[in-house]
């Protein structure tokens, strides 16, 4: 029989799992980290996007923080701003970001954030929210803002450059907003 001290870690683990499942159900997007190769593709596309030296780069759905860390290292003069709605990945990434002065992670729905000052935006979401994200970017971004989508592209928009991943690895697509509709 389990005693109360033994139950606490089990209850905590179950609570964390339930939280992740709940927010996956609400958003339709699981908190899946990007692979090193996928991150490298995003960084390469952004390096070729003519960003200003002190760029402001948003990561919509920053999850566990892997992309934000890589962006902070690749663009040390840039300001990286991640937004994550799921509390468990958000708290995990906040802990990971403590040593990065150029990274801020916000908790909340990125659709409720003002990202109008962005020089670049990255996202690794799912097919379901991409149409809504496209509309959100139409209303928020200034002309010429670089947008890189990983794996799930904006199907109704003209891709400017891409990097294809082999096998199950997703590709990355670069757009300059407002991306032309196809």
């Amino acid at each position: 029989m389990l005693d109360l001290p033994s139950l606490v870690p089990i209850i905590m683990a179950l609570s964390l799992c339930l939280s992740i499942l709940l927010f996956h159900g609400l958003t339709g997007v699981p908190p899946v980290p990007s692979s090193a190769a996928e991150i490298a593709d995003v960084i390469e596309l952004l390096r070729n996007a003519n960003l200003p030296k002190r760029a402001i780069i948003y990561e919509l759905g920053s999850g566990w923080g892997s992309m934000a860390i890589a962006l902070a290292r690749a663009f040390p003069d840039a300001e990286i701003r991640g937004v994550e709605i799921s509390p468990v990945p958000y708290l995990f990434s906040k802990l990971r970001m403590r040593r990065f002065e150029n990274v801020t992670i916000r908790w909340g729905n990125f659709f409720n954030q003002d990202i109008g000052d962005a020089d670049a935006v990255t996202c690794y979401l799912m097919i379901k929210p991409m149409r809504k994200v496209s509309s959100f970017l139409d209303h928020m971004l200034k002309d010429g803002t670089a947008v890189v989508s990983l794996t799930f592209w904006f199907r109704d928009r003209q891709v400017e450059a891409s990097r294809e991943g082999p096998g199950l690895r997703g590709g990355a697509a670069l757009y300059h907003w407002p991306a032309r509709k196809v």
Side-chain angles (χ1 to χ4, degrees), residues 4-99:
L4 186 59
S6 300
L7 284 175
V8 171
I10 294 170
I11 291 169
M12 288 177 60
L14 283 173
S15 297
L16 294 174
C17 292
L18 286 173
S19 173
I20 291 170
L21 288 173
L22 172 69
F23 280 90
H24 174 202
L26 290 172
T27 64
V29 181
V32 177
S34 306
S35 71
E38 291 168 329
I39 290 171
D41 287 345
V42 171
I43 289 170
E44 184 64 27
L45 288 170
L46 287 176
R47 282 197 171 124
N48 293 319
N50 298 318
L51 298 180
K53 183 174 178 153
R54 299 202 180 278
I56 296 173
I57 304 172
Y58 282 88
E59 184 186 6
L60 306 181
S62 56
W64 306 99
S66 301
M67 180 71 73
I69 288 171
L71 290 170
R73 289 181 176 148
F75 302 97
D77 295 322
E79 187 176 333
I80 313 304
R81 298 177 182 171
V83 183
E84 177 57 45
I85 194 169
S86 185
V88 175
Y90 162 76
L91 291 171
F92 185 83
S93 65
K94 281 293 275 193
L95 288 172
R96 293 180 75 191
M97 299 306 150
R98 289 177 299 169
R99 61 191 174 120

Side-chain angles (χ1 to χ4, degrees), residues 127-147:
I127 292 171
K128 181 181 175 184
M130 293 307 281
R131 190 173 303 277
K132 185 175 178 183
V133 172
S134 182
S135 178
F136 172 70
L137 297 178
D138 283 343
H139 290 93
M140 277 295 191
L141 299 182
K142 60 187 178 254
D143 287 354
T145 302
V147 175

